[in-house]
Amino acid sequence: MVNYFEKRNRVQQEQKKYYREKTNLRLKYAALISIGISMIIMLIMALGMVDFGNANALLFLRGCAGFFALIFVGLVGILVYRVNASYFKDKANPTQKH
């Protein structure tokens, strides 16, 4: 079991350089902005800054919050896929330096 954790830590350390690539950093920041917008919208609804009598406004805000949350999930999925694909591709071809 100890070997598993050591191997996982080693793989995470090796993948850090892929997460620091320019395109992957853009994806990361776009995902953080997306979830930030979603959280702000949820806080606006939770703190009662929108009239609760206006059901259309609440439904619209909930829809927007959900939409930005889905964008976040999609961007994080793309980011993780890109990093893992690059890592395993470079691991399979050790002759090429990345």
Side-chain angles (χ1 to χ4, degrees):
M1 197 64 156
V2 175
N3 190 21
Y4 167 77
F5 292 114
E6 291 173 358
K7 186 176 180 181
R8 190 182 81 187
N9 287 336
R10 184 172 31 100
V11 168
Q12 286 177 345
Q13 292 296 326
E14 292 171 357
Q15 286 181 343
K16 276 188 179 180
K17 70 177 182 177
Y18 298 103
Y19 278 108
R20 291 184 184 137
E21 290 178 359
K22 190 174 184 179
T23 56
N24 292 338
L25 282 176
R26 284 188 205 146
L27 276 172
K28 174 185 169 183
Y29 293 136
L32 289 175
I33 288 169
S34 174
I35 200 65
I37 291 171
S38 180
M39 290 170 59
I40 288 169
I41 293 171
M42 294 297 280
L43 280 173
I44 287 171
M45 288 187 301
L47 296 176
M49 294 181 185
V50 179
D51 182 23
F52 288 110
N54 192 352
N56 288 337
L58 283 175
L59 289 174
F60 178 73
L61 288 176
R62 285 181 186 170
C64 288
F67 177 69
F68 283 112
L70 286 174
I71 290 174
F72 169 76
V73 170
L75 290 174
V76 170
I78 292 169
L79 175 64
V80 171
Y81 173 78
R82 287 175 55 113
V83 167
N84 285 324
S86 297
Y87 171 72
F88 287 115
K89 184 180 77 171
D90 290 347
K91 189 175 176 181
N93 295 330
T95 57
Q96 296 179 351
K97 293 275 182 173
H98 184 68

